Amino acid sequence: MNFHKFGKSFVYATQGVIHAIKTEQNFRLHLLAAGIVFLASLLTGLSKWEWIIVVMLIFGMFMIELVNTSVERIVDLASPDFHPLAKQAKDLAAGACLIYALCTVIVGLIIFIPKWSVILF
C-alpha cells in the first residue's frame, strides 16, 4: 500500500471541502443549520441513537451538497453553452439536495417535537 498516495487523497478531499465552504452559499447555509441543530441537540438531551441519526443526517446533507456541486462543475465543463440536458442534469442534482433536506427536516421533527412538547406543555 502506498501510504504517501493514500495520505494525498485526504489532502485532496479536504481541499474539496474547503473549496465548497469558500464558494458555495448553500454549503455554508448547511453548515449554519448543522450548528443550530447541534446546539438544539445538546440542549434537548438526545439519546445515543438519536445523536447517531442526527449526525448521519447532517453529514449526509454535506455529502449530497458536495455531489450536487460536483455535478454542476462537470456539466459546466462538458456543456459551457446552454443545453436542455445540461439544465436537467443540474436540476436533478439540485432536486436530490432538496429531497434529502426535506427528509432531514421530517426526521428532525420526529425526533425533536416529542421532546420539546414535554418541556413546553
Side-chain angles (χ1 to χ4, degrees):
M1 179 172 188
N2 185 337
F3 287 106
H4 178 71
K5 190 175 181 181
F6 183 70
K8 290 289 260 182
S9 67
F10 283 97
V11 171
Y12 298 141
T14 302
Q15 288 173 345
V17 173
I18 290 169
H19 179 76
I21 293 168
K22 289 181 177 178
T23 63
E24 295 300 314
Q25 179 179 351
N26 285 346
F27 196 87
R28 291 191 302 272
L29 180 64
H30 293 306
L31 278 172
L32 175 64
I36 292 168
V37 169
F38 181 78
L39 183 60
S41 298
L42 285 174
L43 296 172
T44 303
L46 301 184
S47 72
K48 177 178 79 170
W49 289 108
E50 290 166 334
W51 268 107
I52 290 169
I53 292 167
V54 167
V55 167
M56 289 179 70
L57 290 172
I58 288 171
F59 281 88
M61 191 71 243
F62 293 154
M63 192 171 52
I64 195 72
E65 191 62 48
L66 289 169
V67 170
N68 176 50
T69 300
S70 298
V71 168
E72 289 177 355
R73 297 294 191 278
I74 292 167
V75 168
D76 288 345
L77 179 64
S79 181
D81 297 325
F82 177 81
H83 191 282
L85 290 177
K87 179 185 181 326
Q88 287 177 12
K90 291 170 88 169
D91 290 351
L92 289 164
C97 286
L98 177 61
I99 296 290
Y100 192 81
L102 291 172
C103 173
T104 65
V105 169
I106 292 167
V107 173
L109 292 173
I110 291 168
I111 290 171
F112 286 102
I113 286 179
K115 293 180 177 296
W116 292 343
S117 65
V118 169
I119 296 168
L120 297 175
F121 301 109

CSV table of all heavy atoms in Angstrom, one decimal, residues 88-110:
chain,number,residue,atom,x,y,z
A,88,GLN,N,-31.2,19.9,-17.2
A,88,GLN,CA,-31.9,18.8,-16.5
A,88,GLN,C,-31.0,18.1,-15.5
A,88,GLN,O,-31.4,17.8,-14.4
A,88,GLN,CB,-32.4,17.8,-17.5
A,88,GLN,CG,-33.7,18.3,-18.2
A,88,GLN,CD,-34.1,17.2,-19.3
A,88,GLN,OE1,-33.6,16.1,-19.3
A,88,GLN,NE2,-35.0,17.7,-20.1
A,89,ALA,N,-29.7,17.9,-15.9
A,89,ALA,CA,-28.8,17.2,-15.0
A,89,ALA,C,-28.5,18.1,-13.8
A,89,ALA,O,-28.5,17.5,-12.6
A,89,ALA,CB,-27.4,17.0,-15.7
A,90,LYS,N,-28.4,19.4,-13.9
A,90,LYS,CA,-28.1,20.3,-12.8
A,90,LYS,C,-29.4,20.3,-11.9
A,90,LYS,O,-29.3,20.3,-10.7
A,90,LYS,CB,-27.7,21.6,-13.3
A,90,LYS,CG,-26.3,21.6,-13.9
A,90,LYS,CD,-26.0,22.9,-14.6
A,90,LYS,CE,-25.4,23.9,-13.6
A,90,LYS,NZ,-24.8,25.1,-14.3
A,91,ASP,N,-30.6,20.4,-12.5
A,91,ASP,CA,-31.8,20.5,-11.8
A,91,ASP,C,-32.1,19.2,-11.0
A,91,ASP,O,-32.5,19.2,-9.9
A,91,ASP,CB,-33.0,20.8,-12.7
A,91,ASP,CG,-33.0,22.2,-13.3
A,91,ASP,OD1,-32.2,23.0,-12.8
A,91,ASP,OD2,-33.8,22.4,-14.2
A,92,LEU,N,-31.7,18.1,-11.6
A,92,LEU,CA,-31.9,16.8,-10.9
A,92,LEU,C,-31.0,16.7,-9.7
A,92,LEU,O,-31.4,16.2,-8.7
A,92,LEU,CB,-31.7,15.6,-11.9
A,92,LEU,CG,-32.8,15.4,-13.0
A,92,LEU,CD1,-32.2,14.5,-14.1
A,92,LEU,CD2,-34.0,14.9,-12.3
A,93,ALA,N,-29.8,17.1,-9.9
A,93,ALA,CA,-28.8,17.1,-8.7
A,93,ALA,C,-29.3,18.0,-7.6
A,93,ALA,O,-29.2,17.6,-6.4
A,93,ALA,CB,-27.4,17.4,-9.2
A,94,ALA,N,-29.8,19.2,-8.0
A,94,ALA,CA,-30.3,20.1,-7.0
A,94,ALA,C,-31.6,19.5,-6.4
A,94,ALA,O,-31.8,19.7,-5.2
A,94,ALA,CB,-30.6,21.4,-7.7
A,95,GLY,N,-32.4,18.8,-7.2
A,95,GLY,CA,-33.6,18.2,-6.6
A,95,GLY,C,-33.2,17.1,-5.6
A,95,GLY,O,-33.9,16.9,-4.6
A,96,ALA,N,-32.1,16.4,-5.8
A,96,ALA,CA,-31.7,15.4,-4.8
A,96,ALA,C,-31.4,16.1,-3.5
A,96,ALA,O,-31.7,15.6,-2.4
A,96,ALA,CB,-30.5,14.6,-5.3
A,97,CYS,N,-30.7,17.2,-3.6
A,97,CYS,CA,-30.4,18.0,-2.3
A,97,CYS,C,-31.7,18.4,-1.6
A,97,CYS,O,-31.8,18.3,-0.4
A,97,CYS,CB,-29.6,19.3,-2.7
A,97,CYS,SG,-27.9,18.9,-3.1
A,98,LEU,N,-32.7,18.9,-2.4
A,98,LEU,CA,-34.0,19.3,-1.9
A,98,LEU,C,-34.7,18.2,-1.2
A,98,LEU,O,-35.2,18.3,-0.1
A,98,LEU,CB,-34.8,19.9,-2.9
A,98,LEU,CG,-36.2,20.4,-2.5
A,98,LEU,CD1,-36.2,21.4,-1.4
A,98,LEU,CD2,-37.0,20.8,-3.7
A,99,ILE,N,-34.7,17.0,-1.8
A,99,ILE,CA,-35.4,15.8,-1.3
A,99,ILE,C,-34.7,15.4,0.0
A,99,ILE,O,-35.4,15.1,1.0
A,99,ILE,CB,-35.4,14.7,-2.3
A,99,ILE,CG1,-36.2,15.0,-3.5
A,99,ILE,CG2,-35.9,13.4,-1.6
A,99,ILE,CD1,-37.7,15.1,-3.4
A,100,TYR,N,-33.4,15.4,0.0
A,100,TYR,CA,-32.7,15.0,1.3
A,100,TYR,C,-32.9,16.0,2.4
A,100,TYR,O,-33.1,15.7,3.5
A,100,TYR,CB,-31.2,14.8,1.0
A,100,TYR,CG,-30.5,14.1,2.1
A,100,TYR,CD1,-30.6,12.7,2.3
A,100,TYR,CD2,-29.9,14.8,3.1
A,100,TYR,CE1,-30.0,12.1,3.4
A,100,TYR,CE2,-29.3,14.2,4.2
A,100,TYR,CZ,-29.4,12.8,4.3
A,100,TYR,OH,-28.8,12.2,5.4
A,101,ALA,N,-32.9,17.3,2.0
A,101,ALA,CA,-33.1,18.3,3.0
A,101,ALA,C,-34.5,18.2,3.6
A,101,ALA,O,-34.7,18.3,4.8
A,101,ALA,CB,-33.0,19.7,2.4
A,102,LEU,N,-35.5,17.9,2.8
A,102,LEU,CA,-36.9,17.7,3.3
A,102,LEU,C,-36.9,16.5,4.3
A,102,LEU,O,-37.6,16.5,5.3
A,102,LEU,CB,-37.9,17.5,2.2
A,102,LEU,CG,-38.2,18.7,1.4
A,102,LEU,CD1,-39.0,18.4,0.1
A,102,LEU,CD2,-38.9,19.8,2.2
A,103,CYS,N,-36.2,15.4,3.9
A,103,CYS,CA,-36.1,14.2,4.7
A,103,CYS,C,-35.5,14.6,6.1
A,103,CYS,O,-36.0,14.1,7.1
A,103,CYS,CB,-35.2,13.2,4.0
A,103,CYS,SG,-34.8,11.7,5.0
A,104,THR,N,-34.4,15.4,6.1
A,104,THR,CA,-33.8,15.8,7.4
A,104,THR,C,-34.7,16.6,8.2
A,104,THR,O,-34.7,16.4,9.4
A,104,THR,CB,-32.5,16.5,7.1
A,104,THR,OG1,-32.8,17.8,6.5
A,104,THR,CG2,-31.5,15.8,6.3
A,105,VAL,N,-35.5,17.4,7.6
A,105,VAL,CA,-36.5,18.2,8.4
A,105,VAL,C,-37.5,17.3,9.0
A,105,VAL,O,-37.9,17.4,10.2
A,105,VAL,CB,-37.1,19.3,7.5
A,105,VAL,CG1,-38.3,20.0,8.2
A,105,VAL,CG2,-36.1,20.4,7.1
A,106,ILE,N,-38.1,16.4,8.2
A,106,ILE,CA,-39.1,15.5,8.7
A,106,ILE,C,-38.6,14.6,9.9
A,106,ILE,O,-39.2,14.5,10.9
A,106,ILE,CB,-39.7,14.6,7.6
A,106,ILE,CG1,-40.5,15.5,6.6
A,106,ILE,CG2,-40.5,13.5,8.1
A,106,ILE,CD1,-40.8,14.8,5.3
A,107,VAL,N,-37.4,14.0,9.7
A,107,VAL,CA,-36.8,13.2,10.7
A,107,VAL,C,-36.5,14.0,12.0
A,107,VAL,O,-36.7,13.6,13.1
A,107,VAL,CB,-35.6,12.4,10.2
A,107,VAL,CG1,-34.9,11.7,11.3
A,107,VAL,CG2,-36.0,11.5,9.1
A,108,GLY,N,-36.0,15.2,11.7
A,108,GLY,CA,-35.7,16.1,12.9
A,108,GLY,C,-36.9,16.5,13.7
A,108,GLY,O,-36.9,16.4,14.9
A,109,LEU,N,-38.0,16.7,13.0
A,109,LEU,CA,-39.3,17.0,13.7
A,109,LEU,C,-39.8,15.8,14.5
A,109,LEU,O,-40.3,15.9,15.6
A,109,LEU,CB,-40.4,17.5,12.7
A,109,LEU,CG,-40.1,18.8,12.1
A,109,LEU,CD1,-41.2,19.1,11.0
A,109,LEU,CD2,-40.1,19.9,13.1
A,110,ILE,N,-39.6,14.6,13.9
A,110,ILE,CA,-40.0,13.4,14.6
A,110,ILE,C,-39.2,13.2,15.8
A,110,ILE,O,-39.7,12.7,16.9
A,110,ILE,CB,-39.8,12.1,13.6
A,110,ILE,CG1,-40.9,12.2,12.5
A,110,ILE,CG2,-39.9,10.8,14.4
A,110,ILE,CD1,-40.6,11.2,11.4
